[in-house]
Amino acid sequence: MPALTGKHYFNYGGQGPLPNDSLAAMVACWQKLQQLGPFGRDVWPWLNLELSALRKALSQLCGVPPQRITLTENVSSGCVLPLWGLPFEAGDRLLISNAEHPGVVAACRELARRQGLAIDFFPVQQVRSDSELLEALNQGLQARTRLVVLSHLLWNTGVVMPIAAVAQQLQAKQNQPWLLVDAAQSVGSLELGDAAAQADIYAFTGHKWCCGPEGLGAVVLSERVLAEANPTLIGWRSLSNESEGSSSWHKDGRRFEVATS
Ligand SMILES: Cc1ncc(COP(=O)(O)O)c(C=O)c1O
């Protein structure tokens, strides 16, 4: 890792260092694209193989089938693209932990403003055990709560949240609220267990604890998000058939992919 040469590097979760092997793989990929010819006939079969291998590797890491993976560019877009496609109604409520990242909170606020939703917060930084956390969640849930936002590993305190237990608690509720998990700090730093598989939206990036490049992230979506949420930021990669007269979206995670990136 060149970033470790001549200095002590404390990865506090902003951006991880790149290993030489990753750097070499990135350069080799760019060279291959140029050799085959960008957007040329020969490049697509190779690119499609690379993409499905990546989707498969990420699906194994997260314990879900590949069709539940959407490739994104960072944590924030992985949270926001599917979030904004969920079917909310005016008067619905969003329940957000008090340890979420400002970008994700801002996206919830703007969504609430546009769609007439209400926002509630529940305390997670203060709780000292999983049972206290589940109790705080229970207290925060209201009849119209349609979404809960909670990080897997809190960026401000480093505490790990019991995501699978939270998901089970929500599944037991009538009108089961969606569970959006910001996984910026968990993927690459800890065993994910059932967390990614149990959440509705589980968003992460390559550039933090995976020690990968910035600009490449992914989000795991639940089957019900794939069935009920519509694409939001739309481009040719969202379409299942580019030549059709009408727009038909991919039914798998690609419905939230956008365009050249
Ligand atoms: C918890 C958390 N969420 C979201 C982000 C934003 O990440 P990105 O720039 O990949 O969207 C960060 C960045 O540090 C973070 O720590």
Side-chain angles (χ1 to χ4, degrees):
M1 291 180 170
L4 306 190
T5 310
K7 54 184 126 25
H8 297 287
Y9 185 92
F10 294 90
N11 182 0
Y12 60 92
Q15 181 156 2
L18 261 187
N20 279 326
D21 284 353
S22 303
L23 269 172
M26 288 157 66
V27 173
C29 171
W30 249 247
Q31 278 168 341
K32 185 84 176 176
L33 281 170
Q34 298 309 310
Q35 270 164 19
L36 293 173
F39 253 76
R41 189 196 53 200
D42 296 339
V43 88
W44 295 109
W46 176 76
L47 210 46
N48 286 337
L49 282 178
E50 291 288 311
L51 284 172
S52 53
L54 174 60
R55 230 180 272 277
K56 193 166 166 210
L58 292 175
S59 73
Q60 282 165 353
L61 178 75
C62 297
V64 298
Q67 62 268 23
R68 283 180 56 187
I69 303 276
T70 298
L71 299 176
T72 63
E73 294 173 8
N74 43 54
V75 183
S76 308
S77 60
C79 291
V80 176
L81 293 178
L83 165 66
W84 280 46
L86 293 175
F88 293 111
E89 286 174 14
D92 285 345
R93 311 185 77 88
L94 313 179
L95 178 60
I96 307 175
S97 101
N98 69 346
E100 298 310 307
H101 197 267
V104 179
V105 176
C108 289
R109 283 217 172 90
E110 179 58 12
L111 177 73
R113 188 189 68 76
R114 291 191 190 192
Q115 299 205 9
L117 314 177
I119 293 190
D120 305 298
F121 288 92
F122 71 112
V124 298
Q125 294 203 46
Q126 293 79 356
V127 299
R128 280 159 299 168
S129 67
D130 287 357
S131 56
E132 273 188 31
L133 182 276
L134 293 173
E135 183 49 35
L137 171 69
N138 214 21
Q139 301 249 328
L141 288 170
Q142 299 191 32
R144 292 289 304 268
T145 305
R146 291 297 293 126
L147 174 90
V148 171
V149 182
L150 179 63
S151 290
H152 193 172
L153 192 162
L154 304 187
W155 71 300
N156 22 33
T157 64
V159 176
V160 177
M161 295 288 108
I163 295 299
V166 166
Q168 273 157 24
Q169 185 157 319
L170 296 180
Q171 277 155 22
K173 296 275 168 204
Q174 211 186 10
N175 207 12
Q176 181 189 352
W178 311 95
L179 175 59
L180 186 161
V181 177
D182 178 332
Q185 304 298 339
S186 51
V187 172
S189 78
L190 46 90
E191 291 287 332
L192 303 184
D194 279 349
Q198 296 274 332
D200 287 294
I201 298 173
Y202 188 91
F204 55 96
T205 178
H207 77 271
K208 294 180 185 288
W209 298 96
C210 294
C211 298
E214 57 270 52
L216 179 60
V219 55
V220 178
L221 301 174
S222 65
E223 295 290 354
R224 67 178 186 142
V225 167
L226 289 173
E228 293 176 45
N230 288 312
T232 41
L233 191 59
I234 291 159
W236 54 269
R237 277 170 63 196
S238 327
L239 296 172
S240 62
N241 185 348
E242 281 185 65
S243 54
E244 256 180 25
S246 63
S247 312
S248 53
W249 317 124
H250 281 299
K251 294 205 181 332
D252 59 23
R254 290 173 295 173
R255 72 199 273 122
F256 293 99
E257 294 178 5
V258 186
T260 308
S261 74

